[in-house]
Amino acid sequence: MTFDIAVVNEMSKGTLGERMGIEFVEVSAERVVARMPVKGNTQPYGLLHGGASVVLAESLGSIGAAVHAGEGRIAVGIEINATHHRSATDGHVTGVATRSHGGRSLATYDVVITDEEGRRVCTSRITCMLRDA
């Protein structure tokens, strides 16, 4: 099942994701894709902040897990990790979350974040607990 992108982006209004400029471009239970600008999400050296990459990864995995959980259920992040491979200094980064496990109580997503040249910036994994709303 694929979700309406406009609805998902509207849900982000007033959240950290909106302040960081995260824009969802594809959403399904199996795969979620979003873009985020580097500008405004940097650390003092002008490099993409590692925490910004983690926020993008958690946003992707949480939305995917919520879609997987289905109506009347919610997803709550319980674990996330990230390896930062290279820096990004301009443009946008794109995150792609792919479901690696989708059960009744847990969903796990592998997230790859790349720069505009397709080079891997960060690899992350997020696990969400699925509960009744």
Side-chain angles (χ1 to χ4, degrees), residues 5-58:
I5 300 302
V7 170
V8 174
N9 283 314
E10 184 66 28
M11 287 173 31
S12 294
K13 298 281 186 193
T15 69
L16 177 60
E18 180 186 38
R19 286 188 288 284
M20 296 183 70
I22 295 173
E23 176 189 6
F24 290 90
V25 296
E26 178 185 333
V27 177
S28 72
E30 296 80 24
R31 179 179 145 103
V32 183
V33 181
R35 292 172 20 108
M36 180 180 72
V38 173
K39 185 177 181 180
N41 293 314
T42 59
Q43 38 93 317
Y45 301 118
L47 307 173
L48 178 65
H49 195 292
S53 293
V54 174
V55 169
L56 177 58
E58 182 149 2

Side-chain angles (χ1 to χ4, degrees), residues 64-78:
V67 173
H68 168 76
E71 193 171 331
R73 306 203 71 219
I74 61 170
V76 180
I78 60 171

